[in-house]
Amino acid sequence: MRGWDGLVSSALLGTDRRPAHFEELPEHIQERLGDGGLLDAAALATVYKRAGRKPLRDLGPLPAAPGQDRPLPRPVAIRRLAAMLGGFQSTALGEWLRAADARGWDVPPEHLPALADFARNRAEYRPLVVRAAGRRASWLADLNPEWRFLHAAVAESNNPELWTHGNALQRRTWLRMSRQQNPAAALEALREVWPTESAATRADFLGLLADGLSQQDEEFLESALDDRSKEVRRIAARLLARVQGSQYGERMAQRMWSHLVVSQGVLAVDLPKRLSAAMERDGIDSQNPEGIGKRAWWFLQIVAATPLSVMDLGWLELPVEGCAPEVLQAAWAEAAVREGSVEWARELLRANASTGSRSPAELLRVLPPEEWVRAVPALREHMDLAELVGGLPVPWPASLGSMILDQLAKVGTARGWARLASIAARAVPADVLNHPITREPAGEEDTWRRRLVETLIFRREMYEELS
Amino acid sequence: MGPWDVEQVLGLAPDPASAKAAQAQARTTKWSETGSSERAVWGLCQGSGKQPYQTAVDLTGPAYKCSCPSRKFPCKHALGLLLRWATGEVGPGDEPEWVKSWVDQRAARPERKPGEVADPIAAQQRASRRADRVSAGMAELASWLDDQVRQGLGGFDQRAYSELSRLAARMVDAQAPGVAGAVRRAAGVVGRGHGWPGELLEELSLIHLTVAAHGRLADLPPSLADTVQSRIGWTVETARVLAEGEKVEDDWLVLGRVIEPDERLTVRRLWLRGATTGRLGLILTFAAAGRPLDPLPARPGEYVPGELSYYPGVLPMRALLTQTAPRLPAPRPTGFTAQQALASYVESVAADPWNERWPLVLQDVRPARYGEGWALVDANGDGLEILPGYFDPWKLLAVSGGDPLTVAGEWNRAGFRPMTCWHGERPVIL
């Protein structure tokens, strides 16, 4: 405003030294000022300035996020979501998001910032939050660098620009999606850029080939066994072991046969005496972990990487000479998990075989879910039930859920069941949440039983609200 | 009266342990015969004893009643009950006798009217003594201000803060707390950024305006004189506002609220707009720091049917609310363009040159980047800056998704502070 700076400098220096001049001020102010002094003029000018404020011009509004919104769930469901984001039963958050998405509901957009912050350090929630954010996902990712992971949604458009020019996360997502849609094309894309990528990126991208793995990948994986990076070599070997009918499997089978003979109903083992360069190239780890000798460790790895098709289920019954039978059992368990062999997993569980560094639960996971309930009672005799079912993917089949809840309903509030109860509270599927245990009195004390019942009821109400 | 927020309920807990215990209570299955009415929530909670505890909350207080032996107040049962109610797990019902008699009794208890005076003559003497003191304070302030402009604010950088703080304390002594606040604000400007001398001059000139207006109080129109008095810090007793203030009956749309926590006092400004009269209203609520504020009469975006009694002044804004019917859902309000919004603020400044805060509803505005911060741009391309600094813009941005929306907020010359926005017809509290 005209004349204002003059007022300020008079006020700064003092009117004794610099008397104020009002001639430069707008006429309206001069008219009203009369014989007023500096402060009167400043008051008029201040109000004049405030009243004369103009709107901002030439601002570019943010572009609109393209796409359509879905309907919102009922207010009571939204209130529950807000309560969970506020820290109340927040472990059910993922389940709420999945259920809402499956039923076609949107998340109210005002909750997206809190959800994005929640998922920022919890990778397992990210895909859920990307779904929940819908058309706003990449729009929000552009606004706040901390939410870049929301860009995962963009890759769904399969835009090759993201692969050639995207950031690390966008490229990774693009490759993962592309691998799902067309494994050969994804391999080709990776092969093109392979020589120029850093070791960490090579290892990361190579691991993505696990999805849609086939013989077509073999040649590339073989070449990766000679990679400069140890981590890349390790991943390549692990993947090759999963390619059916591969040269790699063939090599491992030959190695096994040179150290194992089946004769007259006995498995005779002659443990390898040294580790050849070829074996190391194929990913055999020279350094034995605690609890097993070097040579047994090498042998275990060879058998574990050998295709189960060259072995016989009947071997499980045979006596072993030359090493502890557990070495072979652990190797078979490893191979059964790697190949997802239902038959081997079933027989190993039935024989109560050693599973080495793996948990029997991992064998259980190989079985179809409807068999779990039958396998569990026998396994319970040898291991903690909570440890066994804790490794199974959730939600459990209804049969297993009912069985565990039936069991818990019978045991009162005995301390030892707390861990199983806390696993079951989250893992039983939606259709057994109405189990009779939820209608029995859970007592006044803060016991696992009460927490279990509270969680089951919380989840049941959650599903009812979202229906 | 509808459910409160979960945070609001947890805010009532006497300590963190109670808040936690209350959440556990809320999750249990041992509640029975729960219900809620317009004024109360109640239920039976099976404790360790044979008889369940009778728990009830009078929402108007709020006041609590529970037959448990806990010395905590409110106890975990009362809080747990409120949590269940807040999460929609307590349905409406008829008050059972034990609840009804308790709440009736509380309602019938005579409340001491705030500001009611026992001895009118003594009160008059007090008022006249205070008027003398205020006049003396104003005279002191006037000569201090004159000295400053004669000697110059240039040396202020070093001595200003302590000097202004001392002056603010003197104004409190002079029973002119409003002016004391203005002086303290002026002290806060000194040395902040390159433009501080200009800003300091603005602040001091408006204090000067108050002092000058006080000098000719008798010549001013009565309503303007009231405004000057309130700027100086004379408060009008609520009883007088209720008895003599201008009354406006309407369905009051809750535009939003701003809560400003301070070291000693939490202040909440609740902005209202009449559905038929279009009048604006401001309800101020105070609470000691760390203590909960009274519950809102309605959520932002809802109507409160009732009567406002305005405090006197040339720009009647601050008011007391007498609710006459339960809150109601309201449609998305109509709003202004940026030009219209600024014009409405100018009108308010024309009436009350000291006015700093002004409620606005902006219509069809979209977010845009503005420097380090954000602005809202209307359909004509005119924009208003969003208050830089402490406002968290993410909720507003997420709701918008780049689409135009209606936003209610509080305008001051530093920027627009969003309070509520509408996602379609659904109000969202920011």
Side-chain angles (χ1 to χ4, degrees):
Chain A
M1 190 189 76
R2 269 191 304 131
W4 173 254
D5 289 344
L7 294 182
V8 174
S9 49
S10 285
L12 268 176
L13 292 170
T15 48
D16 285 351
R17 272 193 282 171
R18 179 183 288 200
H21 294 288
F22 305 129
E23 306 84 64
E24 282 180 34
L25 289 168
E27 274 174 36
H28 292 295
I29 294 182
Q30 293 190 43
E31 277 167 24
R32 275 153 206 267
L33 185 56
D35 55 358
L38 171 63
L39 284 170
D40 297 295
L44 280 167
T46 296
V47 178
Y48 188 92
K49 279 200 305 172
R50 289 183 186 177
R53 180 144 170 177
K54 293 259 189 342
L56 306 170
R57 292 296 301 180
D58 302 324
L59 293 172
L62 298 171
Q68 289 282 313
D69 283 330
R70 297 190 291 178
L72 295 181
R74 285 184 282 156
V76 57
I78 296 175
R79 277 207 293 278
R80 189 177 294 266
L81 172 68
M84 286 189 288
L85 283 170
F88 189 74
Q89 288 272 7
S90 49
T91 41
L93 197 54
E95 198 175 8
W96 191 98
L97 292 172
R98 249 186 300 268
D101 183 38
R103 287 159 184 74
W105 302 122
D106 245 352
V107 167
E110 68 271 22
H111 293 304
L112 294 177
L115 276 172
D117 284 338
F118 186 84
R120 199 155 61 87
N121 299 318
R122 296 174 177 88
E124 69 276 22
Y125 283 91
R126 290 180 170 188
L128 295 175
V129 174
V130 170
R131 290 285 305 164
R135 71 184 179 103
R136 289 174 171 84
S138 46
W139 191 86
L140 286 169
D142 278 337
L143 290 189
N144 188 338
E146 295 190 340
W147 300 338
R148 250 193 315 250
F149 66 89
L150 292 173
H151 267 310
V154 180
E156 280 175 323
S157 65
N158 228 341
N159 172 5
E161 283 275 302
L162 291 171
W163 174 243
T164 49
H165 293 89
N167 61 36
L169 189 66
Q170 287 169 327
R171 298 184 69 211
R172 183 178 207 283
T173 310
W174 184 92
L175 185 62
R176 190 163 48 80
M177 297 299 214
S178 159
R179 181 73 177 173
Q180 279 166 12
Q181 286 158 15
N182 185 345
L187 175 67
E188 206 39 53
L190 181 58
R191 201 198 285 272
E192 270 175 28
V193 300
W194 188 253
T196 59
E197 301 290 342
S198 71
T201 308
R202 287 202 306 279
D204 185 35
F205 285 178
L206 188 64
L208 294 176
L209 297 187
D211 201 5
L213 201 61
S214 75
Q215 277 173 324
Q216 290 187 322
D217 303 308
E218 185 181 357
E219 186 199 332
F220 179 67
L221 292 172
E222 275 289 342
S223 71
L225 285 178
D226 298 317
D227 198 89
R228 294 187 303 279
S229 153
K230 186 179 177 196
E231 182 63 9
V232 170
R233 295 198 298 272
R234 200 184 59 80
I235 292 168
R238 205 187 64 210
L239 290 175
L240 274 171
R242 291 178 44 193
V243 176
Q244 288 195 352
S246 66
Q247 296 286 322
Y248 177 93
E250 192 73 13
R251 293 199 292 276
M252 285 297 178
Q254 280 173 16
R255 284 178 193 128
M256 183 184 79
W257 287 126
S258 62
H259 296 286
L260 174 78
V261 179
V262 192
S263 82
Q264 297 167 348
V266 172
L267 289 174
V269 176
D270 174 24
L271 289 178
K273 295 187 177 54
R274 51 180 199 86
L275 193 63
S276 68
M279 281 157 79
E280 280 205 85
R281 177 178 182 268
D282 278 346
I284 302 289
D285 180 11
S286 64
Q287 199 52 50
N288 54 318
E290 212 169 304
I292 184 169
K294 252 195 174 69
R295 297 168 58 204
W297 171 238
W298 299 338
F299 180 63
L300 189 155
Q301 293 178 82
I302 290 169
V303 178
T306 300
L308 285 167
S309 56
V310 307
M311 296 182 248
D312 192 321
L313 270 177
W315 294 359
L316 263 71
E317 315 288 337
L318 301 183
V320 180
E321 285 174 4
C323 77
E326 286 79 12
V327 171
L328 272 172
Q329 289 171 358
W332 290 328
E334 188 71 34
V337 171
R338 166 172 57 77
E339 292 188 15
S341 166
V342 174
E343 286 178 334
W344 278 84
R346 197 184 283 137
E347 291 307 314
L348 285 163
L349 284 171
R350 185 174 297 161
N352 187 28
S354 161
T355 50
S357 59
R358 290 189 180 270
S359 154
E362 291 185 71
L363 286 178
L364 193 57
R365 291 175 73 143
V366 173
L367 298 186
E370 60 272 18
E371 284 190 34
W372 292 351
V373 102
R374 248 183 300 144
V376 163
L379 285 167
R380 278 186 63 179
E381 293 172 21
H382 310 285
M383 72 180 293
D384 179 45
L385 185 54
E387 194 182 320
L388 184 64
V389 296
L392 295 174
V394 295
W396 296 340
S399 54
L400 182 66
S402 300
M403 180 184 113
I404 300 289
L405 291 182
D406 288 347
Q407 169 74 54
L408 288 170
K410 278 186 285 193
V411 296
T413 58
R415 278 261 173 94
W417 296 89
R419 179 143 173 265
L420 181 63
S422 92
I423 292 167
R426 300 277 158 222
V428 301
D431 40 355
V432 303
L433 292 173
N434 207 8
H435 190 273
I437 195 173
T438 60
R439 288 186 293 278
E440 290 168 19
E444 160 79 347
E445 302 290 302
D446 187 17
T447 58
W448 60 258
R449 193 183 182 92
R450 221 180 72 185
R451 289 194 297 272
L452 168 68
V453 169
E454 284 165 15
T455 303
L456 295 177
I457 292 174
F458 185 92
R459 293 177 57 208
R460 185 169 75 209
E461 290 168 346
M462 188 175 93
Y463 281 104
E464 284 163 7
E465 288 161 5
L466 285 170
S467 61
Chain B
M1 174 107 28
W4 306 339
D5 297 331
V6 168
E7 308 102 86
Q8 201 178 334
V9 174
L10 292 176
L12 299 170
D15 52 50
S18 296
K20 191 154 181 284
Q23 296 188 30
Q25 285 300 320
R27 274 178 274 144
T28 60
T29 50
K30 23 176 230 175
W31 286 96
S32 59
E33 296 177 40
T34 57
S36 66
S37 65
E38 278 307 319
R39 54 178 195 168
V41 186
W42 62 89
L44 301 183
C45 186
Q46 186 61 55
S48 43
K50 200 164 161 203
Q51 281 291 331
Y53 298 133
Q54 291 184 329
T55 311
V57 179
D58 179 345
L59 298 170
T60 54
Y64 316 93
K65 175 188 169 74
C66 185
S67 56
C68 79
S70 169
R71 281 188 301 272
K72 291 272 177 66
F73 195 77
C75 68
K76 61 180 178 177
H77 305 105
L79 289 171
L81 177 66
L82 282 176
L83 280 175
R84 286 179 76 84
W85 179 59
T87 50
E89 289 167 70
V90 175
D94 291 329
E95 292 173 5
E97 188 48 39
W98 62 274
V99 176
K100 189 174 181 309
S101 57
W102 173 63
V103 181
D104 283 348
Q105 193 192 342
R106 273 187 46 80
R109 199 177 297 162
E111 260 181 73
R112 189 177 57 85
K113 284 202 192 100
E116 206 173 29
V117 268
D119 181 353
I121 294 169
Q124 214 166 19
Q125 284 171 346
R126 272 203 303 278
S128 112
R129 270 203 302 278
R130 179 175 178 186
D132 291 345
R133 233 177 284 169
V134 169
S135 294
M138 291 300 112
E140 184 186 345
L141 190 54
S143 75
W144 184 86
L145 283 168
D146 282 342
D147 285 351
Q148 300 316 307
V149 290
R150 273 198 297 104
Q151 295 162 12
L153 307 173
F156 240 70
D157 216 352
Q158 296 82 36
R159 65 183 156 92
Y161 193 80
S162 56
E163 186 148 334
L164 281 167
S165 302
R166 197 162 53 240
L167 189 65
R170 297 275 304 125
M171 290 305 112
V172 171
D173 292 345
Q175 296 194 317
V179 176
V183 171
R184 236 179 279 125
R185 252 200 319 284
V189 166
V190 175
R192 209 177 51 189
H194 289 301
W196 74 263
E199 278 186 54
L200 179 62
L201 183 59
E202 287 189 18
E203 298 288 343
L204 293 182
S205 73
L206 290 180
I207 297 172
H208 166 77
L209 193 61
T210 313
V211 175
H214 180 261
R216 40 191 287 255
L217 212 48
D219 305 336
L220 298 178
S223 62
L224 186 55
D226 284 332
T227 296
V228 173
Q229 294 279 40
S230 84
R231 287 291 149 187
I232 290 171
W234 288 93
T235 50
V236 185
E237 299 88 352
T238 50
R240 220 188 98 199
V241 175
L242 288 171
E244 300 168 18
E246 181 198 3
K247 301 247 185 305
V248 180
E249 174 112 36
D250 208 335
D251 288 340
W252 296 97
L253 173 70
V254 178
L255 294 177
R257 48 97 179 99
V258 171
I259 297 172
E260 277 180 1
D262 196 298
E263 270 172 44
R264 279 171 303 177
L265 197 65
T266 305
V267 182
R268 182 180 66 203
R269 296 189 291 276
L270 183 70
W271 294 99
L272 304 176
R273 191 174 85 178
T276 33
T277 60
R279 287 287 297 267
L280 297 166
L282 168 65
I283 312 291
L284 286 178
T285 315
F286 304 95
R291 302 297 306 162
L293 290 154
D294 287 347
L296 291 174
R299 287 167 187 275
E302 291 178 328
Y303 285 138
V304 202
E307 187 180 68
L308 287 193
S309 310
Y310 282 97
Y311 281 70
V314 67
L315 183 70
M317 288 297 295
R318 188 176 173 195
L320 299 171
L321 169 69
T322 313
Q323 191 171 349
T324 51
R327 65 196 181 125
L328 301 165
R332 171 159 50 104
T334 56
F336 283 152
T337 64
Q339 288 277 11
Q340 291 168 330
L342 286 177
S344 75
Y345 173 64
V346 170
E347 272 178 48
S348 80
V349 174
D352 174 356
W354 296 280
N355 182 38
E356 291 187 323
R357 297 195 181 91
W358 188 243
L360 293 177
V361 180
L362 301 175
Q363 190 169 311
D364 288 333
V365 286
R366 290 182 290 163
R369 287 192 189 276
Y370 177 64
E372 297 281 290
W374 301 91
L376 291 169
V377 184
D378 68 15
N380 305 324
D382 291 326
L384 293 181
E385 181 180 2
I386 288 181
L387 191 65
Y390 55 98
F391 174 72
D392 164 19
W394 299 113
K395 269 189 182 179
L396 176 65
L397 290 169
V399 172
S400 154
D403 296 337
L405 75 178
T406 298
V407 187
E410 194 184 70
W411 172 253
N412 67 34
R413 79 204 134 81
F416 178 77
R417 176 179 178 146
M419 302 186 292
T420 309
C421 69
W422 278 262
H423 177 229
E425 289 298 308
R426 192 174 60 94
V428 174
I429 303 170
L430 298 170

